[in-house]
Amino acid sequence: MVAAASFQWMNPAELSLPPAYAEQRWYAAYTCANHENRVAAELGGRGIEHYLPLYSSVRRWKDRRVQLDLPLFPGYVFVRLALRDKLRVLQIPSLVHLVSFNGQPAALSDDEMEVLRRGLTDQLHAEPHPYLAVGRRVRVGSGPLAGLEGIIVRKKNRVRFVISLNLIMRSVSVELDDADIVPVN
């Protein structure tokens, strides 16, 4: 004799996702090595808001010098999306995954991303820097990076402001004036 299982069908409205899945946030997308530009182009083709900060670097070969635009955060492209749409992003070739903790994609601070997008332009010469988590903490008081906190270092008698993204454990340094920097207590 077969026992009849009693199934209770759920109303589709009850199966809705949490409100956080509908909210657009910034996420770090990890890519295959040297595929950041391809992923960014694919994201743009799909109409997904993204950010790939680049810096100019001069490389010397035996017979010539070439100026290249390289990713400021190698291996990462920043994506703004609602989590309900993450499948559209994860289907992109060369995109490995969204940076996650405990199986949940970790969102970046909207304020921090907006300052980075506004501040890391061609006017400021930004370059990758070894990851720093400890040092003299300061805040930028004026200029395009105003309000951003980071660590100050000296390099060749110049002041460099180091911005560390703890989520991806990468840092970027920007040359600033001493007058633009305010100590954080």
Side-chain angles (χ1 to χ4, degrees):
M1 188 168 200
V2 177
S6 122
F7 290 107
Q8 191 175 25
W9 294 99
M10 304 274 302
N11 182 356
E14 295 175 16
L15 294 174
S16 66
L17 294 171
Y21 276 68
E23 184 181 337
Q24 292 236 341
R25 305 280 309 269
W26 282 101
Y27 298 94
Y30 183 68
T31 67
C32 292
N34 301 321
H35 285 227
E36 300 89 354
N37 287 322
R38 289 183 192 147
V39 170
E42 187 69 30
L43 286 166
R46 293 181 186 210
I48 299 169
E49 187 177 357
H50 64 282
Y51 177 55
L52 176 61
L54 301 172
Y55 74 101
S56 292
S57 176
V58 176
R59 301 294 165 105
R60 231 181 306 166
W61 282 283
K62 290 180 183 178
D63 60 338
R64 65 180 186 258
R65 295 170 67 135
V66 177
Q67 185 169 350
L68 300 173
D69 288 331
L70 300 173
L72 208 46
F73 300 100
Y76 295 94
V77 175
F78 300 102
V79 182
R80 183 173 173 83
L81 70 133
L83 281 179
R84 67 173 180 235
D85 300 327
K86 75 177 183 179
L87 189 58
R88 288 180 49 207
V89 171
L90 294 175
Q91 290 175 335
I92 293 175
S94 301
L95 193 142
V96 180
H97 60 79
L98 296 178
V99 176
S100 304
F101 292 104
N102 295 327
Q104 288 288 13
L108 293 158
S109 163
D110 286 338
D111 295 336
E112 190 176 48
M113 282 304 299
E114 200 51 45
V115 170
L116 279 176
R117 290 181 70 195
R118 188 180 66 237
L120 295 179
T121 59
D122 294 336
Q123 297 135 358
L124 295 176
H125 180 68
E127 58 188 35
H129 191 277
Y131 179 69
L132 281 180
V134 178
R136 184 173 155 220
R137 304 243 1 129
V138 295
R139 180 179 294 118
V140 179
S142 62
L145 295 174
L148 199 59
E149 286 191 21
I151 298 170
I152 189 119
V153 294
R154 298 233 179 243
K155 183 177 177 182
K156 296 182 184 175
N157 294 329
R158 306 292 308 249
V159 175
R160 297 210 53 96
F161 178 70
V162 178
I163 305 161
S164 295
L165 292 179
N166 296 326
L167 180 66
I168 59 174
M169 297 188 74
R170 301 285 173 139
S171 296
V172 172
S173 69
V174 178
E175 200 169 288
L176 292 179
D177 265 33
D178 282 331
D180 293 337
I181 297 169
V182 177
V184 174
N185 294 338

